[in-house]
Amino acid sequence: MKKILALALAFALALSLAACGGGASSTPAASTPAASTPAASTPAESTPAAPAAPAGNEADAIDDNMTSADGQYQVAFITDVGQLKDKSFNQGTYDGVKLYAAANGLSYKYYQPANGDQATDDDRYDAMKAAVEGGAEVVVCAGFMQEAAMRRAAAEFPDVPFVFIDGYPLSDDAGNSLANVAGISFKEEQAGYFAGYAVVKEGFTKLGFSGGGGGTNPACCRFGYGFVQGANAAAAELGVQVDMNYSWEYGASFQASPDLQTMITGWYDQGTEVVFACGGSMFASISAAASATDGYVVGVDVDQSSQAEAGVVVTSAMKGLSDAVQWAVAKVYDGTFSEIGGTGTSLGVDDNAVGLPTATWSMANYTVADYESLFAQVAGGSVKIDDNYENLEQDYSNLTLNIK
């Protein structure tokens, strides 16, 4: 199964979005490739198209740390817990900041709240305040844990737009909508479903899910619940039974750890074949365990195929972090931020904003045509995916869920 498919195509995310709100920026308009999105297609037409792939990740060629001549930084990024270069959520979000800024001649800077994975709301607020005082014309914040700090900062700096990735609309203490906050979320349950369905169709029947945030992160919860649903659906079609270990243990801080690696090694030793590594830097521990035991991994948020030994990552449940950031930041500079400020935008298959990287997956039995067919069924509504992860603990027709 560790055969790499030699396809000269890449998964591309094209965002075609509409929302409403209030609060526009007065900064000059600037163009960006991600700003000119195509008109929204009808659900039946939303199958993924795979144009020619660029050479590598363009954002990797852009320095993480730039020096502004005037000491001011126009586009700011506030990291979530974990490392900036986590090869996942933080990095994918910051890639969008760098790509937009570099394409439009803007200065940019990232701010990591003090105290690392023990950061408080005050630490996050201090980072946002430093960004605004450092000249930020837009502040991009990653992760739902930013909520309390962002509510405070956005109310204090009403003329500064905030882009809340994996977020939602916010109100001030008086209950008034904060028009300078754009909540951008994803339908992770769809990406998780695609991954769970794919690995079972590939032939795996002993699965694992190891999630970040301790079970309190809505995005990870949606990923996991979708993974379970997709695996069960594929197993039902094949007439097989699937077992899945499911755990939030050792993932609260989204960090790699010896304890996590030991736990996942135990899963592999006991017969687990593939584990969905759903938690930023946790991937390093899980992929290390897979490499040591001839196991396999499903990546998360971005294409993580290059972050482990060749063939270890069978696929990745992706969401369009970089493209979404570029699209949202562009609205600050073209004067249309009021379309998304004060409201929430949820991106999924209808926006080509979630999916699997068909160019780099290492599956031999599940085909691109199979995936495109499923994508079309989800987009068209004939395949329903539940997004209410409170329903996780239920009886499944062809899957036994072992919650650890």
Side-chain angles (χ1 to χ4, degrees):
M1 290 186 183
K2 292 189 177 180
K3 174 183 177 183
I4 301 295
L5 299 181
L7 301 177
L9 302 176
F11 180 78
L13 301 170
L15 300 174
S16 50
L17 315 168
C20 58
S25 169
S26 59
T27 49
S31 62
T32 174
S36 302
T37 55
S41 57
T42 59
E45 298 171 335
S46 295
T47 51
N57 184 352
E58 296 175 49
D60 288 344
I62 303 172
D63 193 357
D64 290 331
N65 300 282
M66 73 164 297
T67 300
S68 170
D70 61 3
Q72 299 289 290
Y73 296 89
Q74 295 161 291
V75 186
F77 173 53
I78 313 299
T79 69
D80 194 16
V81 293
Q83 304 169 7
L84 174 71
K85 306 298 283 187
D86 61 0
K87 310 296 185 183
S88 186
F89 183 59
N90 275 328
Q91 187 168 343
T93 306
Y94 192 43
D95 281 353
V97 168
K98 294 195 300 180
L99 286 165
Y100 184 85
N104 292 281
L106 301 172
S107 54
Y108 60 91
K109 184 176 180 178
Y110 75 89
Y111 297 78
Q112 270 188 297
N115 297 312
D117 60 13
Q118 301 300 312
T120 65
D121 291 336
D122 285 342
D123 294 329
R124 297 183 182 93
Y125 165 79
D126 289 343
M128 296 175 197
K129 186 172 186 288
V132 173
E133 292 177 343
E137 297 167 348
V138 55
V139 180
V140 177
C141 301
F144 81 111
M145 294 176 71
Q146 308 276 9
E147 177 184 340
M150 193 185 313
R151 179 180 287 110
R152 178 181 172 190
E156 184 174 342
F157 305 106
D159 295 329
V160 178
F162 287 77
V163 176
F164 188 8
I165 298 296
D166 270 10
Y168 28 79
L170 297 180
S171 300
D172 62 20
D173 292 340
N176 301 307
S177 175
L178 290 168
N180 59 328
V181 175
I184 309 294
S185 63
F186 297 86
K187 297 177 180 177
E188 290 92 356
E189 70 280 358
Q190 295 176 344
Y193 187 100
F194 291 141
Y197 186 93
V199 295
V200 172
K201 285 288 189 173
E202 178 66 9
F204 296 110
T205 59
K206 305 294 183 183
L207 316 183
F209 171 85
S210 179
T216 64
N217 183 308
C220 290
C221 289
R222 288 193 292 268
F223 268 129
Y225 184 38
F227 188 65
V228 171
Q229 293 177 76
N232 182 64
E237 291 179 12
L238 294 172
V240 299
Q241 288 296 131
V242 170
D243 290 311
M244 184 184 298
N245 290 330
Y246 196 100
S247 177
W248 301 104
E249 197 167 7
Y250 307 122
S253 64
F254 297 88
Q255 299 283 1
S257 72
D259 288 336
L260 175 61
Q261 185 169 336
T262 297
M263 182 183 79
I264 301 300
T265 297
W267 286 10
Y268 286 127
D269 286 342
Q270 293 166 19
T272 296
E273 299 164 316
V274 58
V275 175
F276 185 4
C278 188
S281 296
M282 294 168 63
F283 177 86
S285 294
I286 295 170
S287 62
S291 294
T293 57
D294 203 29
Y296 298 86
V297 178
V298 172
V300 75
D301 287 336
V302 299
D303 180 4
Q304 294 191 301
S305 59
S306 64
Q307 308 308 320
E309 177 187 343
V312 166
V313 179
V314 291
T315 191
S316 297
M318 296 169 55
K319 57 188 186 185
L321 292 165
S322 176
D323 283 352
V325 169
Q326 293 176 74
W327 170 80
V329 172
K331 287 189 167 295
V332 174
Y333 289 97
D334 68 13
T336 62
F337 186 80
S338 61
E339 296 177 358
I340 59 173
T343 191
T345 302
S346 181
L347 309 177
V349 293
D350 291 339
D351 314 292
N352 285 321
V354 296
L356 306 181
T358 58
T360 59
W361 71 19
S362 56
M363 292 182 287
N365 300 320
Y366 186 63
T367 69
V368 174
D370 292 334
Y371 164 61
E372 291 180 340
S373 175
L374 177 62
F375 192 103
Q377 291 174 65
V378 173
S382 60
V383 171
K384 306 291 187 183
I385 304 171
D386 185 13
D387 65 354
N388 184 4
Y389 50 82
E390 297 294 335
N391 296 328
L392 173 68
E393 295 188 53
Q394 60 176 281
D395 291 330
Y396 296 93
S397 63
N398 291 71
L399 182 143
T400 300
L401 189 63
N402 308 305
I403 299 178
K404 304 292 188 179

